[in-house]
Amino acid sequence: MLDWIQREFIYLYYYMELQAYQLLPFYVFGTLLGSLISVFAKDRIHRVLTSSHWSAFGLLGFVVAALLGFASPICMYGTLPLVAALYQKGIRQDYLACFMVASVLLNPQLIAYSMALGPTVFTLRLVTCFLMALCAGILIKIFYREREFFNFQSFGGGHNHDTDPNLLLRYLKNVGRNLKATFPYFLGGMLLAALFSIHIPQDDFADLFGKNNGLGVLYSATLGVPLYLCGGGTVPILISWLAAGMSKGAAVAFMLSGPATKINNLAALKAVLGLKHFVLYIAFVLLFAIGAGLITNGAAVLFNF
């Protein structure tokens, strides 16, 4: 028994150390970048959102809304009061839907973390998240041109924590809050990835999620709903899964369905969507994630990436 515990500890330490060397630079960079944008650029992003210029660009407005959503460093509970205020100022709800979905899927920190996935998967994440946000906005434009999709009446305002008059202290406090909020999940993700590498046979995992099969994409999209807790925590797990044989399409499905159905995000979204639109949102997320995963697998076979 003692020998088994000792071996388990040695293997666990080895895999944790290996991941730390590989992932910590991306985690630190993402945290510092996210806090930098939150403290020094968040107000500028909000001013662009409230500007009347970009909303007059037609379809190009969706592109702007998605990019601003990716650049926004605030969580969904901070995004919804902002979106409610923008809606009251007359910003179109299709643009707001595009911005919200983009904000749910990616933020500056997660973009930096995802660089550790390698150039191919990183690019796939950016492209598919961008397309999902555009699709959400365009669908609202088509089907809810004359109807209300959101209900912001019951959603209260958010609290701004970045108020220290000293900019350096404000930045350091923001970094501290980010570390407190994300590091336990990041460490937990590394631990789960290490345990997975030790105990799950790669051949079994490849049979389930690999070989570019459709069922693997379906399983992965569904698995993203209960398992996705924090973007930083899932990056080491995804790296381990990809090394074990997970197809790129299955990874794409997980990266889309996971953040879009994260429990905290769902609780906030339910407050402004109502039951009917909330169900439509979940159906849209799963169908898009599965479709994007299947297309990715097909393209991977065709173009050999």
Side-chain angles (χ1 to χ4, degrees), residues 45 48-49 54 58-72 94-108 111 126-138:
I45 294 171
V48 174
L49 281 168
W54 69 271
L59 291 177
L60 185 59
F62 292 114
V63 176
V64 177
L67 294 178
L68 289 173
F70 293 156
S72 176
D94 50 358
Y95 288 151
L96 295 179
C98 182
F99 171 79
M100 285 175 60
V101 171
S103 181
V104 164
L105 293 173
L106 282 177
N107 57 52
I111 291 172
L126 294 182
V127 171
T128 54
C129 287
F130 180 70
L131 292 176
M132 187 174 183
L134 291 185
C135 187
I138 291 171

Side-chain angles (χ1 to χ4, degrees), residues 110 113 181-182 185-186 227-235 262:
L110 185 52
Y113 299 160
T182 63
Y185 293 106
F186 181 76
L227 286 190
Y228 199 101
L229 296 177
C230 172
T234 54
V235 168
K262 190 170 69 171

Side-chain angles (χ1 to χ4, degrees), residues 21-297:
Y21 280 118
Q22 183 180 11
L23 298 176
L24 273 178
F26 295 100
Y27 176 77
V28 172
F29 174 70
T31 300
L32 296 178
L33 176 65
S35 293
L36 190 71
I37 293 175
S38 181
V39 172
F40 297 103
K42 181 170 61 178
D43 291 340
R44 291 185 177 88
I45 294 171
H46 294 174
R47 282 198 294 271
V48 174
L49 281 168
T50 56
S51 169
S52 61
H53 300 297
W54 69 271
S55 60
F57 290 158
L59 291 177
L60 185 59
F62 292 114
V63 176
V64 177
L67 294 178
L68 289 173
F70 293 156
S72 176
I74 52 180
C75 68
M76 180 50 57
Y77 279 97
T79 297
L80 285 178
L82 169 63
V83 172
L86 295 173
Y87 184 71
Q88 294 299 322
K89 292 182 179 181
I91 304 298
R92 288 165 36 177
Q93 63 175 356
D94 50 358
Y95 288 151
L96 295 179
C98 182
F99 171 79
M100 285 175 60
V101 171
S103 181
V104 164
L105 293 173
L106 282 177
N107 57 52
Q109 288 175 249
L110 185 52
I111 291 172
Y113 299 160
S114 299
M115 293 170 64
L117 295 168
T120 300
V121 179
F122 174 69
T123 302
L124 286 171
R125 180 165 218 172
L126 294 182
V127 171
T128 54
C129 287
F130 180 70
L131 292 176
M132 187 174 183
L134 291 185
C135 187
I138 291 171
L139 287 174
I140 296 297
K141 177 180 175 63
I142 294 173
F143 294 104
Y144 286 86
R145 182 185 298 270
E146 305 296 335
R147 293 181 292 163
E148 301 293 329
F149 188 77
F150 300 105
N151 178 14
F152 294 112
Q153 295 179 358
S154 61
F155 204 89
H159 177 66
N160 181 17
H161 295 280
D162 297 316
T163 56
D164 196 296
N166 186 303
L167 285 179
L168 179 59
L169 287 178
R170 188 187 306 178
Y171 175 69
L172 293 176
K173 288 179 180 179
N174 192 285
V175 170
R177 287 196 300 273
N178 278 336
L179 290 173
K180 182 179 179 181
T182 63
F183 189 73
Y185 293 106
F186 181 76
L187 192 63
M190 290 175 59
L191 178 61
L192 287 175
L195 291 172
F196 169 84
S197 299
I198 296 169
H199 295 292
I200 304 298
Q202 290 194 1
D203 290 342
D204 292 346
F205 188 86
D207 287 338
L208 188 61
F209 292 102
K211 297 182 179 179
N212 294 325
N213 63 69
L215 282 177
V217 172
L218 177 62
Y219 295 151
S220 184
T222 306
L223 197 64
V225 177
L227 286 190
Y228 199 101
L229 296 177
C230 172
T234 54
V235 168
I237 296 174
L238 274 170
I239 291 175
S240 180
W241 286 354
L242 286 164
M246 179 184 235
S247 71
K248 293 180 176 63
V252 163
F254 183 85
M255 290 187 294
L256 290 173
S257 71
T261 58
K262 190 170 69 171
I263 295 299
N264 290 345
N265 290 340
L266 291 183
L269 287 169
K270 175 64 169 60
V272 299
L273 294 181
L275 180 59
K276 177 183 176 182
H277 293 164
F278 181 73
V279 172
L280 288 175
Y281 170 78
I282 297 296
F284 163 74
V285 167
L286 292 177
L287 289 174
F288 191 96
I290 293 169
L294 292 174
I295 292 172
T296 299
N297 276 348

